[in-house]
Amino acid sequence: MNAKKAKESYDGKIENLMSIIEEKEKEIEVKNVEKDSLVDRVLDLTYFSLESDEEATNYFEEQGYDAQKLELTISDQIIAQNKAGTDNPIIPYAGMEGNMAINKVRLLNHKWIIADFTDGVYWGQLFIIYDVRKDGVVDFEVEQSFLYPRSQ
């Protein structure tokens, strides 16, 4: 009799554990779907970036540059033009509520950059063409710019 009750008790515990395992497997499947969705989203968000553009990276490497280091150097050069008390000279708008400064820079490939700027109230974006000369100097030219109207 005790052996029968013990077996029934173990069978119940096994059933309970099996249902918990099934539940956890379903949770894992949901998490895997969520993870795959996030991976796809990240790939979409980084599609236009120097680090994910193999041809652009190869272009710089063929010239003897490390593309990641160059990307940081170029971003730093643009942001370093932010100075206290004055507008960043690459921004073609004068600050109205403060000094215009670059906030964020993204190299899209080996020739194009987008950048975000603001004076604290007004903000906009730049489309910049750049070129790394043979002597390592980087030339910038603002091709397009946009200043958003102030929202009330």
Side-chain angles (χ1 to χ4, degrees):
M1 185 104 157
N2 283 340
K4 184 178 177 183
K5 284 185 180 180
K7 182 185 180 315
E8 287 174 0
S9 175
Y10 286 129
D11 287 346
K13 288 179 181 179
I14 289 170
E15 278 184 40
N16 184 39
L17 290 172
M18 293 300 287
S19 67
I20 290 172
I21 288 171
E22 281 182 33
E23 185 178 307
K24 295 299 180 187
E25 286 175 341
K26 288 177 185 175
E27 288 176 17
I28 288 171
E29 182 60 32
V30 167
K31 295 293 183 190
N32 283 336
V33 168
E34 290 174 358
K35 179 189 72 137
D36 290 345
S37 175
L38 288 173
V39 167
D40 289 345
R41 180 81 172 130
V42 166
L43 290 173
D44 283 345
L45 291 172
T46 60
Y47 183 80
F48 287 107
S49 68
L50 179 61
E51 71 182 42
S52 65
D53 187 332
E54 190 172 331
E55 277 76 26
T57 301
N58 289 340
Y59 174 85
F60 283 132
E61 288 173 355
E62 288 170 5
Q63 294 184 4
Y65 295 108
D66 178 316
Q68 287 182 323
K69 287 180 183 176
L70 187 61
E71 181 173 19
L72 290 172
T73 300
I74 291 170
S75 294
D76 288 348
Q77 283 181 5
I78 292 172
I79 291 174
Q81 294 182 53
N82 293 340
K83 303 280 189 233
T86 185
D87 293 325
N88 186 312
I90 201 166
I91 302 169
Y93 302 100
M96 294 170 270
E97 300 290 331
N99 298 312
M100 285 292 186
I102 301 285
N103 297 319
K104 179 87 174 139
V105 175
R106 177 177 299 242
L107 278 70
L108 301 176
N109 58 29
H110 63 295
K111 294 292 179 185
W112 300 339
I113 298 170
I114 55 173
D116 174 72
F117 64 88
T118 187
D119 68 359
V121 175
Y122 293 92
W123 63 281
Q125 295 164 340
L126 302 172
F127 177 70
I128 304 166
I129 295 175
Y130 75 101
D131 184 50
V132 180
R133 299 189 315 215
K134 291 191 188 301
D135 61 1
V137 174
V138 182
D139 294 322
F140 302 103
E141 179 183 341
V142 175
E143 182 69 20
Q144 292 286 322
S145 61
F146 184 78
L147 183 66
Y148 287 94
R150 183 175 181 179
S151 56
Q152 300 296 339

